[in-house]
Amino acid sequence: MSKTAESVWSNCLSFIEDNISTQAYKTWFEPIKAVKLNDNALSIQVPSKFFYEWLEEHYVKLLKVALTRELGAKAKLVYIIKMENTYGNKQPFTEKIPSSNRSQMKDQEVDVPLKNKSPELKNPFVIPGIRNVKIESQLNPNYSFDNFLEGESNRLARSAGYAVANKPGGTSFNPLLIFGGVGLGKTHLAHAIGVEIKEKYPEKTVLYISAEKFTQQYIESVKKNNRNDFIHFYQIIDVLIVDDIQLLSGKAGTQDVFFHIFNHLHQNGKQVILTSDKAPVDMIDIEQRLLSRFKWGLSAELNHPDYDTRVAIIKNKLYRDGVEMPEDIVEFLANNIKTNIRELEGAIISLIAHSSFNKREITIDLARKIVDNYVKHTKREVSIDYIQKVVSEYFQMDVDTLQSKTRKRHIVQARQLAMFFAKKFTKASLASIGSQIGQRDHATVLHACKTVDNLSSTDKQFRKYVEDLNKKLTL
Ligand code: ADP
Ligand code: MG
């Protein structure tokens, strides 16, 4: 069978998958498309220049081994970077970069020259004297890279942010869009990038602003009839950080003005950093032309932190506050607050406050009470009707049969299971459960609960019923 780009690449992928973590595989290899195979040269398409740089930096050896296994010692790899063209021309274009590992992989394809993305535009509008105005960056120095702990959940966003901080405007991730749910560190990371840039490039004008404040300023400027001054002010910024960009949704005027500012900054090689609680595809009521610009650079997601990262964040916080906390309580917190780092921090602060105000030790009991305040209980209320429905369906009978007076064993068992789960998942009394499940009395329900308990410890098949139903009811 002759080799195709797909077959070669798919073999490479199986090899690669076996050699790196699943997370890394998903992030860096799944998005790649095999495009072409010419003799010994495999062309792969990657989503961005950043992607290409990352692969070359971290995975070039692995790629080489994988490719050599497939295509022999003369194997070559050609990257094709998918990009949207920026100005005027809507045609997407690609940039080909042969792997930098040139010793073995010679005979490269000719590079297709990149269109000049940032023609030097002189700002024709500079207000005389405005450059002398010192612009306060509005950055919070407490949000730094040092205390933004790294984990699987934030690795891409954090590294991209760091790369941007090292070379603002000089990487292909412009804009850098950081997105993710509430309390996962978007604002922190955005500040950290700004703080780092200020440290490395003190002469650069960095400005952090929330989209909300930006909108207010804009409205104000329209009222005061100085919309142009507003725009000019933003156009002289070197690094513009706009937090919670999803708040521009539905605000056509603000979007329009932001569009012009964005274009100006981007064309002049200035860095734009955005955060959003949604991925660009999920943003609503944001103009298409603006959305398409958000996608020019890199969109990096902040995911829910894994257990180890949560533990590390807690410990780091405690360390910075000079507080000691028993290990089992740290673990308890990390196990119970999973989806929001702000809530995790809130719980720690309240725990410390409670224990110091009341001069009490930090105990698991106290931790449990506080966690209850922080974790929203969104468990769905399970009703007795619902339980009967689920149990009947599971045993493929109807609810009337389940409630009937018959003594057939499998029906009796189903009924007992319904009673057992009604006791377990609702606050109803035994009597009330009995009256709702086929007009039985409280003693029958009690007996049912005991029977289910007994059977599930002696009968394997029966235990499986209990487990299955438990799963269905708690979904
Ligand atoms: P978002 O803007 O996504 O809602 P924030 O940036 O306000 O979230 O983060 C919430 C809190 O969690 C902040 O106090 C922040 O310092 C903390 N935090 C988030 N991610 C990390 C991290 N990786 N390491 C340490 N602290 C973090
Ligand atoms: Mg925020």
Side-chain angles (χ1 to χ4, degrees):
M1 204 190 85
S2 70
K3 291 179 172 171
T4 63
E6 284 80 22
S7 71
V8 168
W9 182 239
S10 129
N11 290 343
C12 288
L13 282 181
S14 331
F15 176 77
I16 290 167
E17 194 175 7
D18 285 343
N19 282 285
I20 58 175
S21 77
T22 317
Q23 180 69 33
Y25 177 79
K26 280 202 172 132
T27 310
W28 300 110
F29 292 93
E30 276 186 357
I32 297 176
K33 264 207 257 163
V35 184
K36 198 169 69 180
L37 183 65
N38 262 353
D39 298 327
N40 300 318
L42 176 70
S43 303
I44 57 172
Q45 188 186 60
V46 298
S48 65
K49 193 159 179 192
F50 173 62
F51 224 89
Y52 146 73
E53 287 164 358
W54 189 281
L55 288 171
E56 280 287 288
E57 192 172 332
H58 298 266
Y59 298 112
V60 74
K61 281 208 188 104
L62 184 62
L63 277 164
K64 196 170 151 191
V65 175
L67 209 61
T68 312
R69 283 161 49 106
E70 293 305 308
L71 298 173
K74 288 194 183 132
K76 282 193 305 178
L77 186 62
V78 178
Y79 294 94
I80 299 180
I81 298 176
K82 210 176 135 191
M83 277 193 246
E84 265 184 282
N85 195 358
T86 46
Y87 303 102
N89 182 2
K90 287 261 162 15
Q91 240 9 52
F93 70 101
T94 56
E95 179 188 13
K96 288 184 186 159
I97 304 180
S99 171
S100 65
N101 203 335
R102 285 161 195 219
S103 48
Q104 290 254 329
M105 305 183 176
K106 44 186 179 153
D107 255 6
Q108 300 122 13
E109 299 213 0
V110 189
D111 290 21
V112 176
L114 252 180
K115 300 232 168 85
N116 184 2
K117 277 209 295 184
S118 344
E120 260 304 305
L121 266 191
K122 287 275 163 285
N123 182 352
F125 307 106
V126 176
I127 303 170
I130 198 160
R131 281 187 188 279
N132 298 328
V133 179
K134 192 165 175 295
I135 297 173
E136 287 293 333
S137 69
Q138 316 291 329
L139 288 166
N140 179 348
N142 294 324
Y143 285 149
S144 65
F145 272 105
D146 279 348
N147 59 27
F148 190 80
L149 300 194
E150 184 172 352
E152 280 303 332
S153 56
N154 61 36
R155 192 155 289 141
L156 170 64
R158 194 181 188 281
S159 338
Y162 201 69
V164 163
N166 278 320
K167 253 172 112 184
T171 65
S172 47
F173 0 119
N174 197 11
L176 172 63
L177 173 68
I178 301 160
F179 70 96
V182 180
L184 293 181
K186 301 181 295 292
T187 298
H188 185 144
L189 183 55
H191 277 280
I193 298 168
V195 168
E196 187 77 18
I197 293 176
K198 265 316 234 186
E199 214 152 86
K200 291 201 165 102
Y201 304 91
E203 77 290 354
K204 286 208 190 284
T205 313
V206 179
L207 183 71
Y208 167 91
I209 187 151
S210 66
E212 192 183 6
K213 192 153 174 207
F214 180 86
T215 306
Q216 287 165 4
Q217 286 181 354
Y218 170 67
I219 293 169
E220 196 66 13
S221 81
V222 172
K223 262 193 217 149
K224 292 199 175 131
N225 217 358
N226 54 12
R227 182 175 182 270
N228 281 347
D229 293 348
F230 173 81
I231 296 177
H232 301 157
F233 171 81
Y234 277 95
Q235 286 180 339
I236 62 163
I237 308 285
D238 295 316
V239 177
L240 178 63
I241 305 169
V242 186
D243 203 359
D244 288 320
I245 199 85
Q246 79 280 354
L247 295 177
L248 297 187
S249 136
K251 300 179 177 123
T254 317
Q255 284 179 37
D256 185 61
V257 83
F258 183 69
F259 178 77
H260 290 295
I261 292 168
F262 179 94
N263 283 344
H264 182 92
L265 295 178
H266 198 268
Q267 283 177 33
N268 287 284
K270 305 301 171 68
Q271 179 71 46
V272 179
I273 297 151
L274 308 169
T275 79
S276 163
D277 68 358
K278 298 181 190 64
V281 284
D282 299 323
M283 289 186 204
I284 37 172
D285 283 333
I286 302 253
E287 274 186 69
Q288 207 47 49
R289 57 178 186 163
L290 204 49
L291 276 186
S292 99
R293 267 147 187 82
F294 293 170
K295 296 180 204 153
W296 276 355
L298 178 76
S299 302
E301 184 168 11
L302 289 175
N303 293 298
H304 292 163
D306 55 30
Y307 177 78
D308 291 341
T309 311
R310 298 197 296 274
V311 169
I313 288 173
I314 297 172
K315 289 192 170 160
N316 183 256
K317 175 104 189 106
L318 293 171
Y319 173 76
R320 279 188 290 141
D321 292 347
V323 177
E324 290 194 8
M325 199 180 275
E327 190 72 22
D328 57 332
I329 295 188
V330 171
E331 283 166 17
F332 176 80
L333 291 174
N335 268 318
N336 285 282
I337 305 183
K338 298 178 177 169
T339 58
N340 185 327
I341 299 170
R342 190 175 301 125
E343 284 179 358
L344 195 56
E345 289 187 341
I348 300 169
I349 292 166
S350 308
L351 249 182
I352 296 171
H354 270 80
S355 85
S356 59
F357 289 149
N358 306 328
K359 302 229 170 351
R360 273 179 30 192
E361 284 225 24
I362 298 181
T363 60
I364 277 279
D365 261 355
L366 185 59
R368 191 166 283 130
K369 271 194 204 118
I370 282 165
V371 163
D372 278 345
N373 290 335
Y374 277 91
V375 182
K376 290 183 201 83
H377 288 280
T378 44
K379 251 198 189 160
R380 192 158 37 93
E381 180 67 53
V382 182
S383 70
I384 296 182
D385 280 348
Y386 181 68
I387 292 170
Q388 295 188 75
K389 195 170 142 267
V390 170
V391 174
S392 320
E393 263 168 20
Y394 180 73
F395 290 106
Q396 295 171 354
M397 59 181 74
D398 50 36
V399 176
D400 285 343
T401 313
L402 180 109
Q403 294 183 343
S404 68
K405 304 272 177 222
T406 173
R407 288 182 176 275
K408 280 191 188 137
R409 192 163 152 247
H410 74 284
I411 297 173
V412 172
Q413 278 190 351
R415 189 161 56 231
Q416 290 178 326
L417 279 161
M419 290 174 172
F420 169 82
F421 282 114
K423 181 74 195 125
K424 181 169 176 192
F425 288 129
T426 73
K427 292 197 178 75
S429 66
L430 293 172
S432 151
I433 292 171
S435 77
Q436 291 180 67
I437 306 184
Q439 296 295 333
R440 305 304 205 282
D441 63 17
H442 86 278
T444 311
V445 179
L446 194 59
H447 176 70
C449 294
K450 282 187 187 149
T451 309
V452 170
D453 257 332
N454 286 339
L455 279 178
S456 47
S457 57
T458 53
D459 179 342
K460 228 171 137 192
Q461 178 59 51
F462 194 83
R463 182 157 64 241
K464 171 120 183 12
Y465 295 158
V466 176
E467 284 165 3
D468 286 354
L469 285 166
N470 199 46
K471 247 190 231 141
K472 283 184 195 297
L473 289 165
T474 50
L475 267 187

